[in-house]
Amino acid sequence: MRPFTYERPTSVRDAVALAQSSGEAHVTAPVQYKGGGTNLIDLMKLDVMRPTRLVDITRLEGERLHTVERSPQGLRIGALVPMAVLADMPDVRRDFPVLTDALWLAASAQLRNMARLGGNVLQRTRCPYFRDTTYRECNKREPGSGCAAKDGFNRLHAVLGTSDQCIATYAGDWGQALIALDAYVEILSPEGPRSMLFADLHRLPGDTPWIETTLAPGELITGFVVPGGPWPRSKYLKIRDRESYAFANASAAVALALEGGIARDVRIALGGLATRPWRASKAEAMLRGQSLTEELAMAAAEAEFADAVAHEHNAFKIPLGKATIVRALMELQGMDA
Ligand SMILES: Cc1cc2nc3c(=O)[nH]c(=O)nc-3n(C[C@H](O)[C@H](O)[C@H](O)COP(=O)(O)OP(=O)(O)OC[C@H]3O[C@@H](n4cnc5c(N)ncnc54)[C@H](O)[C@@H]3O)c2cc1C
């Protein structure tokens, strides 16, 4: 047992003030917000995360942290909304199915009741070499120690966005849906609020895989904004080893606007395949404004994976990823919307 202090503020300003610490916002940061705790406490029990202060944010009031609001400008979702609450909202399910599918296909009912959306997007990789401290080599956990996965068992590791330092897969599902809808993330720091494209929140591992996001230390995610919509022709397709309660081997969040068979707009984000939620920009560029056919979808998927890098056990993810893109596009094309 490692000692830590536990704070339970009710004001957002107090929470942000309590969370200020020196150093980089990486996995070993000494102060951590606690949402549902389903990832954080898990990693503390495994001795991977060793915070000295927890700031419980579940009782915070204000800043629209707990609400989901709909307006002509789009959808705003508070960061403390539980996964299960958004997943069960009938109008969100009707107008933005990619957002609710991605939640329904994630984790278990118990976890979805506990976990909040802010914590969901910041969940850590499931790379076994990251989660098991008996392995010495993990650059994400211990900067400069190496990457045991590269020559280890890497069946579930990434084929896109990898570096010499890290091939760990981003594990979550919902982030891909946010990227496909061009969502923004709202953030509060001691200097005040700011927002940015959700697609800019997660970093590629590069030479510093332990720095996973562009958040500054102590910054609090307060909400997500999905501009415009509705996107009834959108979906999340998740391929996994078993049908429930498993992370993705490959997934695609796709939003499609079709007009007379032409893909007027198409957004694709991939999960289970990359080191961060992955925008499939090359595939999108080939499809946009074109007549959507299976052949074109396959060519777009080929383009997206042209630079993919496989390791000993995960080469299957390249054809699987391509097939996931094609199937999601074809299923959306065939639906009444
Ligand atoms: C057995 C199991 C199976 C799972 N399967 C899936 C799955 O299939 N798909 C999937 O997507 N997920 C899955 N998960 C992960 C689960 O969805 C996450 O653990 C959960 O969403 C995290 O949310 P939380 O509120 O519990 O976050 P916490 O554990 O409280 O926090 C996670 C991290 O985010 C930080 N944080 C939390 N909230 C904020 C905020 N508002 N601002 C800034 N930082 C914040 C914390 O400091 C911490 O570092 C699974 C988890 C388990 C245990």
Side-chain angles (χ1 to χ4, degrees), residues 68-271:
V68 179
E69 299 154 51
R70 187 76 186 271
S71 75
Q73 284 72 48
L75 187 66
R76 189 201 177 270
I77 304 157
L80 289 179
V81 172
M83 291 169 74
V85 168
L86 190 74
D88 274 342
M89 290 188 146
D91 52 339
V92 180
R93 207 170 170 65
R94 182 192 62 220
D95 294 341
F96 301 92
V98 66
L99 283 179
T100 51
D101 286 356
L103 294 172
W104 266 109
L105 295 171
S108 64
Q110 293 89 339
L111 284 158
R112 293 194 295 268
N113 283 333
M114 281 299 290
R116 316 300 158 111
L117 294 168
N120 178 277
V121 299
L122 295 178
Q123 66 179 278
R124 259 90 206 197
T125 183
R126 310 303 286 193
C127 173
Y129 302 102
F130 170 75
R131 289 173 60 84
D132 185 342
T133 57
T134 61
Y135 292 101
R136 199 187 56 80
E137 291 180 314
C138 174
N139 285 323
K140 214 181 243 312
R141 177 163 42 77
E142 198 60 54
S145 61
C147 172
K150 280 197 305 180
D151 296 318
F153 183 59
N154 45 44
R155 177 176 177 271
L156 298 177
H157 288 73
V159 293
L160 295 168
T162 56
S163 76
D164 268 356
Q165 307 294 317
C166 185
I167 60 170
T169 311
Y170 174 78
D173 291 300
W174 199 59
Q176 280 72 254
L178 290 174
I179 288 189
L181 298 178
D182 270 346
Y184 288 79
V185 55
E186 294 183 338
I187 296 157
L188 190 67
S189 70
E191 291 74 45
R194 68 182 180 108
S195 84
M196 65 177 162
L197 265 179
F198 180 80
D200 294 332
L201 178 66
H202 292 90
R203 294 164 43 121
L204 288 171
D207 290 334
T208 53
W210 57 92
I211 307 175
E212 299 180 333
T213 71
T214 53
L215 291 176
E219 281 193 318
L220 179 74
I221 294 182
T222 51
F224 305 92
V225 175
V226 176
W231 285 93
R233 205 184 284 273
S234 69
K235 75 176 296 157
Y236 188 70
L237 177 62
K238 180 171 177 179
I239 310 296
R240 42 189 167 169
D241 284 336
R242 56 171 188 242
E243 199 40 44
S244 117
Y245 203 32
F247 288 89
N249 293 338
S251 69
V254 182
L256 181 64
L258 263 190
E259 262 173 28
I262 307 289
R264 185 175 54 74
D265 198 356
V266 55
R267 285 98 169 272
I268 305 171
L270 302 177

Side-chain angles (χ1 to χ4, degrees), residues 18-41:
L18 281 166
Q20 293 318 296
S21 66
S22 56
E24 288 161 331
H26 65 74
V27 69
T28 56
V31 187
Q32 295 283 332
Y33 290 119
K34 190 198 82 63
T38 61
N39 191 225
L40 173 65
I41 306 296

